[in-house]
Amino acid sequence: MEIFQDHILLSRIHFAFTAIFHIIWPVLTIGLSIFLVVTEALWLITRKEIYYHHARFWMRLFLLNFAVGVVSGIPMEFQFGTNWSAFSRTGGDIFGHLLGFEASMAFMLEAAFLGIMAFGWKRVSAGMHLFATCMVAFGGSLSAFWIMAANSWMQTPVGGDFIEGRFYLTDIFAAIWNPDAFWGITHMWFACLEISIFVIGGISAWYLLRGRHPDFFLLSFKMMIIAGLFITTLQVVNGDGAGKSVFQNQPVKLAALEAHWETNPQGEGAGWKILAWPDENLQDNTWDIEVPYALSLITTYSPTGQVMGLREVPAEDQPPVALTFYSFRIMMFLGFFFVFLILWSLWAWWKGKLTAERAGRQKWLLYSWMWAIPMSYIAMEAGWVVREVGRQPWVIQGVLRTEDGVSRLPAETVAGSLIGFVAIYFLLLIIFLVLAKRLLNKGPDFQPPFR
């Protein structure tokens, strides 16, 4: 097959597969660790054992998730040296620093306190255990910060000079806090919290539907409704800010995710496409359904504000339009669905339907929460596709094309490595699902807490 003879395409598929698989795990680790901090702190403050039992139950899922995240993540970093050596030579002066910060600060912090968190329940004081949980949670968020700072630099590379194909760092703070950094980091961090909310809430809904420990899981379900009210709203507001940042700093990406081909003339507004079928050969949409003036209004606050079209750049410098366009809409639609689900849940709560006796009868609501688990991951993956595919054909925006960042490896070597990764990662997934099913079937234990 032709695909197995193209080492560039194989390397891209290799990294995309690794990233799409790996990202599933740390996003839950980050949000779940914060939930553990909250439940442990509430136990120490109120001395109500239900919070202690929640901390013990959800920690098992956290540890299982953390283990798969570490195993799947370490090979990904090695790929920068093996499959993307040209990229590493060009951007290594800053990219290597940021990944090094992540490993030496964040990952080491998590690793140092994870043992106390997992095995220290009866070996250290309750206060010390809470401190260890806080450090693991802080390490998870710090890890996300450094990784997203590195990725943001690839979107908007500043803080140094590119000389003869290599980046020389002159201002590390400018490189870290590049124009994309704030919106990129916060949008991803809110996504981590959002996924964790729907995982915890969805699993709680599963128990409520089966009438198992309704008082216990009603507490975590209601906690997720309250958290979801703030986080889903903040994510929508943050998403709007992130979109405006893309409009200012990556106009070609914005044009692709909106399938906007022609810059609107002065005095005329650009419409927002609800649906479209982009044709890159035609350099236009074969059909579209749009809301007049809406794109200009969203991006510039003016109904006739100018928005750059894709035709302003050569076709070879345009990202894949259809994939970017529909990935963005999947992410956005699911984001608004999550807001609706939270409002629906609040309404049911206000109507007195979320009691231990009645909650299990709210089947449509509980099923929706369970479906929100995979949908929250799909939204996150779709957002990541928008971020990465929308930057193409560049691996470092405007500086290094993706095809020039690849190592010169035999195609069969990359294909063999890819097949091995696929096999191992699917094995990891099966092991996780088997262990997670066993954990959930067993449910929480209610042994008294240590004092």
Side-chain angles (χ1 to χ4, degrees):
M1 292 175 67
E2 194 171 323
I3 185 176
F4 289 109
Q5 298 171 1
D6 186 343
H7 77 284
I8 297 174
L9 179 59
L10 285 168
S11 291
R12 296 177 74 168
I13 294 172
H14 200 316
F15 193 83
F17 172 75
T18 312
I20 284 172
F21 182 85
H22 169 66
I23 201 172
I24 293 171
W25 315 100
V27 290
L28 180 60
T29 300
I30 289 166
L32 197 49
S33 62
I34 294 172
F35 178 67
L36 292 174
V37 169
V38 172
T39 52
E40 247 189 279
L42 286 172
W43 170 51
L44 289 183
I45 294 168
T46 66
R47 287 296 168 183
K48 292 182 178 177
E49 290 189 8
I50 191 170
Y51 293 116
Y52 168 82
H53 295 309
H54 267 291
R56 295 299 299 263
F57 173 73
W58 294 105
M59 188 169 290
R60 290 178 208 145
L61 182 63
F62 168 86
L63 293 172
L64 182 58
N65 195 80
F66 185 90
V68 181
V70 171
V71 173
S72 63
I74 290 175
M76 196 171 76
E77 296 208 12
F78 284 115
Q79 280 187 50
F80 292 118
T82 56
N83 294 42
W84 298 92
S85 57
F87 161 71
S88 297
R89 279 195 298 274
T90 302
D93 212 28
I94 178 62
F95 202 78
H97 277 91
L98 298 180
L99 291 189
F101 291 159
E102 190 269 335
S104 59
M105 292 184 197
F107 187 64
M108 292 306 292
L109 188 64
E110 288 178 285
F113 286 95
L114 187 69
I116 300 174
M117 181 182 170
F119 306 111
W121 284 104
K122 296 182 180 178
R123 294 178 176 85
V124 299
S125 68
M128 182 61 213
H129 194 278
L130 174 61
F131 179 73
T133 307
C134 288
M135 289 300 100
V136 171
F138 177 64
S141 292
L142 190 60
S143 178
F145 171 83
W146 288 121
I147 290 171
M148 288 307 300
N151 183 271
S152 289
W153 179 82
M154 293 165 66
Q155 311 285 336
T156 50
V158 295
D161 301 306
F162 286 92
I163 301 172
E164 296 180 349
R166 183 174 172 184
F167 180 74
Y168 289 88
L169 183 67
T170 57
D171 186 342
I172 192 165
F173 290 103
I176 293 171
W177 290 108
N178 60 77
D180 177 73
F182 174 79
W183 296 109
I185 292 167
T186 52
H187 201 49
M188 191 68 213
W189 192 71
F190 283 132
C192 296
L193 301 188
E194 209 167 8
I195 286 172
S196 305
I197 284 168
F198 289 108
V199 169
I200 297 169
I203 291 174
S204 300
W206 182 77
Y207 279 104
L208 290 171
L209 261 176
R210 282 153 183 77
R212 292 181 60 185
H213 316 296
D215 287 312
F216 183 80
F217 284 105
L218 202 53
L219 175 65
S220 51
F221 188 66
K222 288 181 175 178
M223 288 174 77
M224 292 307 100
I225 294 174
I226 296 169
L229 177 63
F230 293 100
I231 298 303
T232 56
T233 307
L234 283 172
Q235 184 68 312
V236 171
V237 175
N238 184 273
D240 179 63
K244 287 184 172 57
S245 172
V246 171
F247 168 68
Q248 291 166 357
N249 301 302
Q250 295 177 286
V252 178
K253 179 192 282 189
L254 182 107
L257 66 88
E258 298 296 356
H260 181 62
W261 294 94
E262 186 174 1
T263 305
N264 53 304
Q266 291 280 358
E268 293 184 18
W272 186 80
K273 275 80 175 176
I274 301 170
L275 290 173
W277 191 250
D279 186 329
E280 291 171 24
N281 293 323
L282 192 65
Q283 290 285 287
D284 206 343
N285 301 320
T286 52
W287 58 265
D288 56 44
I289 304 169
E290 70 171 29
V291 180
Y293 302 100
L295 182 58
S296 291
L297 200 58
I298 292 168
T299 52
T300 67
Y301 299 115
S302 164
T304 56
Q306 271 200 313
V307 182
M308 193 184 101
L310 276 166
R311 291 183 206 154
E312 298 292 330
V313 297
E316 61 267 25
D317 288 346
Q318 296 170 2
V321 182
L323 180 58
T324 312
F325 177 83
Y326 279 104
S327 296
F328 177 70
R329 271 142 189 82
I330 290 170
M331 176 189 70
M332 189 180 62
F333 170 77
L334 290 176
F336 283 113
F337 169 76
F338 298 144
V339 174
F340 166 76
L341 181 57
I342 293 295
L343 294 176
W344 181 11
S345 305
L346 284 170
W347 179 82
W349 193 351
W350 181 60
K351 287 289 186 180
K353 296 179 179 179
L354 296 185
T355 62
E357 295 75 25
R358 301 181 65 189
R361 280 178 260 160
Q362 313 308 313
K363 294 188 185 303
W364 284 108
L365 178 65
L366 297 178
Y367 276 125
S368 297
W369 271 86
M370 289 164 60
W371 275 107
I373 298 176
M375 286 195 288
S376 63
Y377 283 101
I378 290 170
M380 181 269 297
E381 296 282 14
W384 196 251
V385 168
V386 172
R387 187 171 179 80
E388 295 304 289
V389 176
R391 192 189 60 236
Q392 299 304 316
W394 308 98
V395 64
I396 302 175
Q397 180 73 49
V399 177
L400 182 69
R401 299 179 84 88
T402 304
E403 62 192 33
D404 297 328
V406 179
S407 304
R408 294 182 180 176
L409 294 171
E412 56 270 25
T413 302
V414 184
S417 173
L418 174 60
I419 292 168
F421 267 66
V422 170
I424 292 170
Y425 278 12
F426 271 105
L427 180 63
L428 277 175
L429 180 63
I430 291 169
I431 292 172
F432 173 83
L433 292 174
V434 169
L435 294 177
K437 183 183 177 186
R438 187 178 299 176
L439 189 155
L440 296 179
N441 282 335
K442 184 181 177 185
D445 63 49
F446 296 102
Q447 292 182 7
F450 72 98
R451 301 292 179 184

